[in-house]
């Protein structure tokens, strides 16, 4: 091979190497250019997904805030009456003379909060010598409810009123039970009367339950003829008990500014928590008031004296 031929072949090899290098660089450039749009697409998808999550979070947060606004606690009506009258002064002297003619001084019941719960009782034993004795027992109880977050004082009083009536109708051993609505006594009133036989004699029991706004008044009145004395007339005793209940309701209204030129207060008394006043459950109080009155009959010594 001549020197000229060898030189030409070397030149061709050198040219081929240069073309190969240029082609490799172009291929790498094309590959990089193709990868760039793919990276942009992936980045765009990631960005869209994040924006969606943020939108969902924002929407959920806005929904929660809206829900909180809608579920605001409702306003409960304030109790109408904020005080109770002196329990032993709710009845006039004339009425007491009629119901307990030989009555003892009123005995005020124990209470930890007389502004919400109070009571007073009287007893009478009219000794007629060999003819026997007439016994009478009278009790007036007052219970006031304050409004709380669950119910208004008026609503609580309505529930307690119903339980008191049912308790009076369910006294064990009662006979000839009669129940009737009483008009003109507070917002609602019911009279329950029955006979109850005890060893001392047959007791005629009258229970009048009345509600005026957020206060419940319960009048228990019973009478009996002892040691041979005749049994008192139930109708007469019932009328007397109903008269006492009307007077007690009027005293509640008067104690709260009604009937004396004023108006009843519509705001809770300052410094008192908005909770129901009774310290005992309504059902227990109903049973006590209904069944407790006959148990106040005179002692064995009193019967012997008659």
């Amino acid at each position: 091979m001549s020197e000229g031929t060898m030189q030409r072949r070397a030149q061709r090899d050198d040219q081929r190497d240069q073309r190969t290098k240029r082609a490799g660089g172009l291929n790498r450039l094309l590959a990089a250019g193709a990868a760039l749009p793919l990276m942009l697409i992936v980045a765009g998808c990631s960005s869209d997904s994040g924006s969606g999550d943020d939108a969902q979070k924002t929407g959920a947060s806005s929904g929660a805030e809206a829900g909180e606004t809608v579920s605001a606690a409702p306003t409960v009506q304030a109790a109408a009456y904020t005080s109770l009258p002196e329990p032993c002064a709710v009845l006039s002297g004339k009425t007491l003379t009629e119901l307990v003619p030989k009555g003892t001084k009123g005995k005020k019941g124990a209470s930890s909060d007389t502004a919400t719960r109070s009571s007073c009782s009287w007893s009478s034993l009219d000794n007629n010598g060999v003819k026997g004795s007439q016994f009478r027992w009278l009790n007036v109880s007052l219970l006031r409810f304050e409004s709380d977050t669950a119910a208004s004082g008026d609503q609580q009083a309505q529930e307690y009123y119903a339980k008191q009536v049912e308790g009076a109708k369910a006294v064990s051993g009662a006979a000839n039970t009669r129940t009737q609505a009483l008009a003109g006594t507070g917002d609602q009133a019911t009279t329950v009367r029955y006979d109850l036989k005890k060893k001392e004699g047959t007791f005629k029991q009258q229970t009048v339950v009345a509600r005026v706004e957020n206060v419940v008044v319960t009048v228990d009145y019973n009478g009996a003829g002892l040691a041979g004395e005749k049994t008192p007339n139930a109708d007469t005793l019932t009328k007397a008990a109903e008269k006492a209940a009307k007077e007690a309701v009027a005293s509640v209204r008067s104690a709260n500014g009604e009937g004396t030129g004023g108006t009843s207060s519509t705001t809770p008394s300052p410094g008192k928590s908005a909770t129901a006043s009774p310290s005992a459950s309504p059902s227990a109080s109903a049973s006590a008031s209904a069944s407790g009155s006959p148990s106040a009959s005179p002692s064995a010594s009193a019967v012997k004296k008659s």
Side-chain angles (χ1 to χ4, degrees):
M1 183 181 296
S2 64
E3 183 178 353
T5 299
M6 292 178 63
Q7 186 175 1
R8 286 193 297 272
R9 180 175 295 178
Q11 290 175 353
R12 286 196 301 270
D13 291 341
D14 184 55
Q15 292 174 356
R16 187 168 53 253
D17 291 340
Q18 290 180 2
R19 285 196 301 270
T20 300
K21 289 180 180 179
R22 286 195 299 271
L26 179 60
N27 289 337
R28 286 193 296 274
L29 181 60
L30 290 175
L36 181 60
L38 181 60
M39 293 174 64
L40 293 175
I41 291 173
V42 173
C45 291
S46 299
S47 176
D48 291 342
S49 176
S51 299
D53 291 343
D54 292 341
Q56 290 177 359
K57 292 178 181 178
T58 303
S61 177
S62 300
E65 292 177 358
E68 291 175 357
T69 302
V70 172
S71 61
T75 302
V76 178
Q77 182 180 1
Y81 292 156
T82 60
S83 61
L84 292 177
E86 173 62 34
C88 293
V90 295
L91 302 179
S92 66
K94 180 180 179 181
T95 298
L96 288 174
T97 300
E98 180 183 344
L99 272 67
V100 281
K102 299 293 182 178
T104 59
K105 184 179 179 180
K107 182 179 180 181
K108 191 173 181 179
S111 174
S112 59
D113 184 3
T114 55
T116 55
R117 175 193 291 272
S118 63
S119 65
C120 190
S121 62
W122 300 260
S123 63
S124 170
L125 186 63
D126 188 4
N127 192 338
N128 296 314
V130 295
K131 294 181 179 180
S133 302
Q134 283 291 334
F135 173 75
R136 301 290 187 273
W137 183 80
L138 171 66
N139 184 80
V140 178
S141 65
L142 310 169
L143 193 60
R144 184 178 66 85
F145 292 86
E146 295 182 354
S147 298
D148 59 23
T149 56
S152 67
D154 187 87
Q155 291 174 318
Q156 296 178 64
Q158 290 183 50
E159 294 176 1
Y160 181 72
Y161 164 84
K163 291 180 179 179
Q164 282 286 81
V165 173
E166 290 303 312
K169 293 162 58 177
V171 172
S172 177
N176 304 319
T177 302
R178 292 176 57 183
T179 303
Q180 61 186 34
L182 177 61
T185 305
D187 297 308
Q188 55 186 150
T190 301
T191 300
V192 181
R193 74 188 218 188
Y194 54 84
D195 299 339
L196 193 64
K197 289 187 177 181
K198 299 177 70 68
K199 64 180 181 179
E200 297 91 350
T202 300
F203 286 77
K204 298 290 184 177
Q205 168 71 29
Q206 283 65 227
T207 297
V208 183
V209 184
R211 181 186 67 83
V212 53
E213 297 288 355
N214 56 308
V215 176
V216 177
V217 176
T218 303
V219 173
D220 285 301
Y221 183 51
N222 65 51
L226 306 176
E229 180 63 284
K230 64 180 181 180
T231 301
N233 182 276
D235 290 338
T236 301
L237 295 182
T238 298
K239 290 179 181 179
E242 292 176 345
K243 178 182 179 180
K246 290 181 179 181
E247 281 194 21
V249 166
S251 293
V252 172
R253 286 174 167 161
S254 178
N256 288 275
E258 293 185 358
T260 57
T263 57
S264 63
S265 172
T266 57
T267 57
S269 54
K272 295 189 68 61
S273 59
T275 57
S277 56
S279 57
S281 64
S283 57
S285 299
S287 299
S289 64
S291 62
S293 52
S295 65
S297 56
S299 62
S301 60
V303 175
K304 288 180 181 179
K305 289 180 181 179
S306 64

